[in-house]
Amino acid sequence: MLFETVSAGGCRSYLIGCEKTCAAVLIDPELSQIDRYIALTAKDGLRIRYLVDTHTHADHFSATQQLARQLAVPVVMHSASPAPFIDLRLQGGELLAVGALRLQALHTPGHTRDSMCLCVEDRVFTGDTLLIGGTGRTDLPSGDAGALYESLFEGVLKLDPSLKVFPAHEYKGRSHSTIGQELAENPRLQKKDRDAFIEMMQNLNLTMPAHVTEALRTNMTGGKTVAQMLSEAAAIVPFMSLAELNSCLELRRNDLILLDVRERDAFEEGHVPGARLLPRGQLELRVNQELTDPTKRILVYCEFGRISTLATATLRQMGFRGAVALDGGMKAWREAGYPLASGKES
Ligand SMILES: [Fe+2]
């Protein structure tokens, strides 16, 4: 078995490959690590056959959907998962064949309703059901402390004590533990009485993970993150630096249309001299009156440089091939001490 661990900010993903056939499975991939997974498969001479999420993640962005498109391989989750883009829904006890390897799914609800663990050879991938010295929380959507108790004490903890435990999160840099070690040392597992365990889980008072609504929205629906929207837009637009724009102004080049896509009050408070106002929210509907020559160079800017990137991508999709986004926004322009005008459009 070929085996790679990828750590990203406390999240763990695992690449498991069959040496005989070069087939591999990727467990809990994270959106920011896509290039790393592809690089690792190349390094190990592997071909990913399945993308598995052990559960609907609430604290990071799953890469399964994007990788599925990129690699044309199926996304695998438990059958209780709400996501609509799953190709293969497993039930507890079923096997995933990856070359000569067999991964057995164990349905382990509790952290979420769709949580599962996967056993292969000498190890078990426990998702957020069992962590090293901890367990997944049960206070996020579809969490259930009683179900977690049963999944642990009637399921995972009854596995061979020598099995190595590889969780979906690890914050202290430990590579793995074993079922036996967790039974003996994991503080949460010392509450062996069901009611005491539930009471403990319900009184952890944990803070909400960052981006929880965005993670659930994208992981449950297959929708895009804001960062994805921005990077996809940035990939299809050219940018102009603040200094370059300033030298265009100094040279009084009138072949460049300056388009401010903020709201009117922000524009009137201070804008780039000579700029025209066309708020982002009205862009598509007013573009035909405001920008009559699709061949003109158009420099688009906003306050921080993000909305202008989206607006420039929209303009280019509409045929304005000369649309360019300012690299930075009015905030950076002001702070750099470049010239400002105020009031209505001149
Ligand atoms: Fe989780």
Side-chain angles (χ1 to χ4, degrees):
M1 181 167 61
L2 291 161
F3 186 66
E4 302 277 4
T5 299
V6 174
S7 300
C11 293
R12 285 268 164 97
S13 338
Y14 302 101
L15 177 68
I16 303 137
C18 165
E19 277 170 291
K20 279 187 208 140
T21 63
C22 299
V25 55
L26 182 57
I27 297 179
D28 289 330
E30 208 262 324
L31 203 50
S32 66
Q33 302 298 311
I34 284 186
D35 289 340
R36 188 176 303 275
Y37 304 130
I38 305 293
L40 281 173
T41 55
K43 175 177 85 71
D44 293 342
L46 294 172
R47 155 88 149 89
I48 293 174
R49 288 287 174 185
Y50 294 107
L51 299 155
V52 180
D53 266 325
T54 52
H55 63 285
T56 303
H57 298 284
D59 56 355
H60 69 261
F61 306 117
S62 169
T64 49
Q65 236 218 141
Q66 190 167 324
L67 278 168
R69 271 199 303 269
Q70 214 165 311
L71 304 174
V73 293
V75 176
V76 183
M77 283 187 81
H78 185 264
S79 61
S81 170
F85 53 83
I86 299 161
D87 304 292
L88 185 55
R89 293 173 179 275
L90 293 181
Q91 307 262 9
E94 289 176 352
L95 298 173
L96 207 55
V98 181
L101 300 174
R102 295 290 179 271
L103 275 79
Q104 183 167 38
L106 212 66
H107 186 207
T108 53
H111 172 62
T112 61
R113 194 182 302 129
D114 62 353
S115 287
M116 63 177 180
C117 296
L118 293 153
C119 297
V120 57
E121 297 190 349
D122 63 344
R123 56 201 66 194
V124 54
F125 299 93
T126 52
D128 284 0
T129 299
L130 177 61
L131 308 177
I132 301 175
T135 67
R137 60 200 291 172
T138 53
D139 58 340
L140 294 177
S142 92
D144 180 333
L148 182 64
Y149 177 87
E150 271 116 44
S151 293
L152 286 167
F153 288 94
E154 303 300 323
V156 182
L157 299 173
K158 287 194 168 166
L159 295 170
D160 181 345
S162 68
L163 269 187
K164 293 175 184 158
V165 171
F166 288 90
H169 289 287
E170 168 52 27
Y171 302 95
K172 294 183 180 166
R174 297 163 291 193
S175 85
H176 64 279
S177 70
T178 63
I179 295 285
Q181 237 169 298
E182 292 309 312
L183 268 171
E185 295 166 15
N186 188 323
R188 293 216 187 142
L189 305 182
Q190 306 317 310
K191 301 269 185 203
K192 293 190 169 49
D193 174 69
R194 189 176 191 274
D195 291 341
F197 180 85
I198 292 172
E199 206 201 319
M200 170 191 66
M201 290 306 295
Q202 285 173 346
N203 290 291
L204 292 175
N205 298 320
L206 302 167
T207 51
M208 277 288 136
H211 316 299
V212 63
T213 47
E214 188 180 22
L216 286 172
R217 170 177 64 74
T218 58
N219 293 338
M220 286 170 75
T221 64
K224 289 176 182 171
T225 65
V226 175
Q228 268 177 302
M229 301 283 290
L230 287 169
S231 79
E232 286 178 15
I236 57 164
V237 308
F239 289 87
M240 183 185 283
S241 70
L242 299 173
E244 174 72 13
L245 173 58
N246 188 48
S247 65
C248 287
L249 290 182
E250 283 174 355
L251 294 170
R252 299 185 180 280
R253 283 180 53 183
N254 54 7
D255 60 341
L256 186 64
I257 296 173
L258 300 179
L259 201 63
D260 187 319
V261 293
R262 299 173 302 159
E263 296 302 314
R264 179 170 294 279
D265 52 351
F267 178 89
E268 291 183 356
E269 217 166 276
H271 53 262
V272 177
R276 290 160 60 174
L277 171 67
L278 179 47
R280 171 68 185 95
Q282 300 172 26
L283 184 67
E284 289 90 336
L285 297 184
R286 280 182 45 199
V287 79
N288 295 327
Q289 294 97 285
E290 302 292 332
L291 303 170
T292 49
D293 184 351
T295 64
K296 275 262 165 86
R297 278 190 93 200
I298 304 164
L299 186 273
V300 185
Y301 72 86
C302 64
E303 185 63 18
F304 299 108
R306 294 193 290 257
I307 293 294
S308 56
T309 305
L310 296 172
T312 307
T314 301
L315 285 173
R316 292 181 78 87
Q317 281 165 349
M318 295 178 91
F320 295 92
R321 295 294 172 201
V324 179
L326 187 63
D327 187 17
M330 268 315 280
K331 185 171 181 289
W333 180 263
R334 276 194 305 272
E335 285 170 3
Y338 289 125
L340 289 171
S342 59
K344 294 191 191 317
E345 286 173 83
S346 50

